[in-house]
Amino acid sequence: MTRIHQLVGAVGSAAWDASCAAYYASIAQADESSDSGGTVRYRLRPEVGDGTIEVTSLRSGFHIVRYDVAFAGAGGHQVGYAFPSDHFELEHCVDGRMHISEARSGDGELHARSVSLSPRCATEGVVTHGDGERYRAVSISGTWARLESYLGGLGVDALPGNRPDGVAREQYLGRSAALRPVAGPLAEIFLHRRSSPGRPLFLESRLVAALAALVDGLAVSAPAAEGRGPADRGPADRGPALEDHEVAALRRVPELLWQERHAPPTLADLARASSMSVRRLATGFRALYGTSVMDHHRRRCLDRAAALLVETDWPVARIGHEVGYASPSNFGYAFRRDRGITPARFRRAHS
């Protein structure tokens, strides 16, 4: 039977500290090479899986957790949780996926490029990682009270609420397009590997950028949905109603594109493979992922390239080919257009 680990309590409480310490001790060993700048790196035990979890405590009172893990074992890896209403957590999945099953919000999946925001109510549930599936993500945790105080000190007078409950559930399960701008600053945290005196300042700056995107996202999404549940919204709000088999087919599209990235299939090819019309595929994919099929694929390729630039010493041309670009010049142009910097300068800045 798969063991379910438990995390409980408010961030910073004795219960939280004890449950986190017990969890990390049961699955990993603290790396002696962890830096002294507030970061502790836990390396998974071989029998648990492969990868690291890095926990950084910021002076602002927030915790940043960086996941780069692949758990082993039949049935996957499960973590149960029971958090009070003041628990604040913002998580961005850089790559991979994590299944969420929450008592109030239901079931969902945090997948690449999605962002999850905890609701302002008590939560209880289980998250599951598939056997051997790599999960890369960054989370910021704290309390809603700490967040409001922190933002107040920066001149943000009022934090928009993630209400009503229907909106909060969509955000919690990673389905809200309004929160996707938060992904950018958090992805920069994931990629930043340089250990330097300026690292704490860099992390705080990305925290502020992520919170700015969060405040703007909440301000945009809350008024439009205020007072309306899913049944009250029009067709334009809901997007196309998707059957379970269509959702399953659409979930396979990113992997189909990635597997054939050196000669990407057309929308017509993908539609045939998914037993859908081209229009149904395009509109359904946008409803599910908040972006077009090809934009989603391009983003995945460039995000993977950014990770390889930081994590390997491969030549830029090899990385471009690895993520599907036919020539180094095409890759360089696409990367510079997306990131505002050449691949080589990006590597120097983040290594």
Side-chain angles (χ1 to χ4, degrees), residues 241-253 276 288-289:
L242 296 170
E243 301 292 338
D244 289 345
H245 69 90
E246 291 179 312
V247 172
L250 290 167
R251 293 289 191 205
R252 291 192 292 269
V253 167
M276 303 170 72
L288 197 60
Y289 289 95

Side-chain angles (χ1 to χ4, degrees), residues 28 35 46 48 55 197 206 229 270 292 303 316 323 339 341-342:
D35 66 52
V48 176
V55 182
R206 295 303 83 203
L270 292 169
S292 71
D303 284 349
V316 170
V323 300
R339 304 284 172 134
I341 189 173
T342 66

Side-chain angles (χ1 to χ4, degrees), residues 119-205:
R120 302 193 72 165
C121 64
T123 57
E124 182 176 358
V126 177
V127 297
T128 304
H129 297 271
D131 179 17
E133 186 169 14
R134 179 71 55 175
Y135 182 70
R136 294 182 171 94
V138 171
S139 76
I140 296 174
S141 61
T143 64
W144 284 96
R146 171 68 253 178
L147 177 63
E148 290 179 337
S149 174
Y150 183 72
L151 292 176
L154 295 174
V156 179
D157 296 329
L159 178 68
N162 60 336
R163 301 284 187 184
D165 286 346
V167 172
R169 283 194 296 271
E170 293 296 290
Q171 292 169 347
Y172 183 69
L173 297 177
R175 299 171 182 160
S176 174
L179 299 186
R180 290 202 175 95
V182 178
L186 295 186
E188 290 185 61
I189 291 175
F190 181 87
L191 291 171
H192 189 78
R193 309 300 296 143
R194 177 180 296 175
S195 179
S196 68
R199 186 168 185 266
L201 185 60
F202 173 83
L203 295 179
E204 289 283 2
S205 74

Side-chain angles (χ1 to χ4, degrees), residues 252-286:
R252 291 192 292 269
V253 167
E255 195 57 34
L256 290 173
L257 279 167
W258 179 252
Q259 291 173 359
E260 303 296 331
R261 60 191 179 277
H262 296 102
T266 65
L267 284 180
D269 294 332
L270 292 169
R272 280 192 295 272
S274 304
S275 300
M276 303 170 72
S277 69
V278 171
R279 181 176 181 182
R280 185 68 171 172
L281 175 82
T283 57
F285 192 94
R286 184 175 291 277

